[in-house]
């Protein structure tokens, strides 16, 4: 039984592989937040993301563990919503680069990745209208603008 030889494109020894597309399995966090549908006024959102609106309250979760940060975030958001606030700033920090010794890559910044999920789940989901990454003057990638619904 004769085997057909596979056809290979010509190449030179030591040449780099040319792949037409970059394969990125997980989109970045700003990409995920940017793909979310806009549920608030477009002009207000544009002013907010440009840093023109001042947050009415802020919480700094930087340095807390996930177990400590979750109840603090719930308390803060629900109190701000009941007080009638609309725009709050949640500071998470960007996270630390850790030694990646295992076969599974680890994301940088556990709080930074977990907070947007918490904000869309109960009991916070009904109070939150929009979550966006903060402007550089309010913390950039290490903070989120949370726009709350009216009471």
């Amino acid at each position: 039984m004769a085997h057909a030889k596979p056809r290979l494109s010509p190449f030179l020894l030591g040449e780099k592989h040319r792949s037409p597309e970059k394969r990125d399995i997980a989109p970045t966090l700003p990409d995920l937040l940017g793909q979310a549908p806009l549920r608030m006024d477009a002009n207000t959102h544009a002013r907010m993301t440009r840093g023109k609106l001042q947050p009415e309250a802020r919480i700094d979760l930087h340095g807390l563990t996930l177990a400590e940060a979750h109840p603090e975030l719930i308390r803060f958001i629900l109190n701000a919503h009941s007080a009638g606030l609309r725009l709050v700033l949640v500071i998470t920090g960007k996270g630390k680069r850790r030694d990646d010794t295992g076969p599974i890559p680890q994301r940088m910044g556990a709080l930074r990745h977990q907070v947007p999920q918490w904000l869309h789940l109960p009991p916070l989901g009904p109070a939150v209208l929009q979550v966006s990454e903060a402007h550089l003057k309010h913390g950039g990638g290490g903070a989120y603008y949370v726009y709350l619904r009216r009471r």
Side-chain angles (χ1 to χ4, degrees), residues 58-64 89-93:
R58 67 184 66 223
I59 184 171
D60 191 353
L61 302 175
H62 187 248
L64 298 180
L89 183 69
V90 177
I91 302 168
T92 61

Side-chain angles (χ1 to χ4, degrees), residues 5 12 15 19 22 31 54 64 83 100 105 137 149:
K5 291 186 178 181
L12 297 173
E15 169 180 49
S19 71
K22 182 180 176 185
D31 291 341
Q54 286 297 331
L64 298 180
D100 197 10
K137 79 177 185 183
R149 295 183 192 275

Side-chain angles (χ1 to χ4, degrees), residues 2 7 12-14 16 18-19 32 37-39 50-51 61 68 72 74 81 90 94-95 128 131-132:
R7 293 186 179 188
L12 297 173
L13 196 58
K16 289 187 177 181
R18 290 171 271 156
S19 71
L32 285 175
L38 190 61
R39 290 178 279 196
R50 290 186 192 125
L61 302 175
E68 295 167 342
E72 286 294 317
I74 291 172
H81 185 252
V90 177
K94 292 184 181 178
V128 173
V131 179
S132 301

Side-chain angles (χ1 to χ4, degrees), residues 63-144:
L64 298 180
T65 65
L66 292 174
E68 295 167 342
H70 194 208
E72 286 294 317
L73 180 68
I74 291 172
R75 182 194 55 76
F76 172 74
I77 295 293
L78 293 180
N79 285 345
H81 185 252
S82 66
L85 302 181
R86 295 302 304 272
L87 180 62
V88 295
L89 183 69
V90 177
I91 302 168
T92 61
K94 292 184 181 178
K96 294 181 191 173
R97 172 64 70 190
R98 300 204 188 274
D99 293 336
D100 197 10
T101 58
I104 301 172
Q106 294 180 348
R107 296 182 302 194
M108 201 167 92
L111 265 180
R112 186 172 158 239
H113 285 83
Q114 195 65 44
V115 164
Q117 293 175 7
W118 288 340
L119 290 169
H120 289 94
L121 295 175
L124 301 178
V128 173
L129 186 63
Q130 190 80 38
V131 179
S132 301
E133 194 170 277
H135 187 266
L136 279 176
K137 79 177 185 183
H138 290 130
Y144 295 107

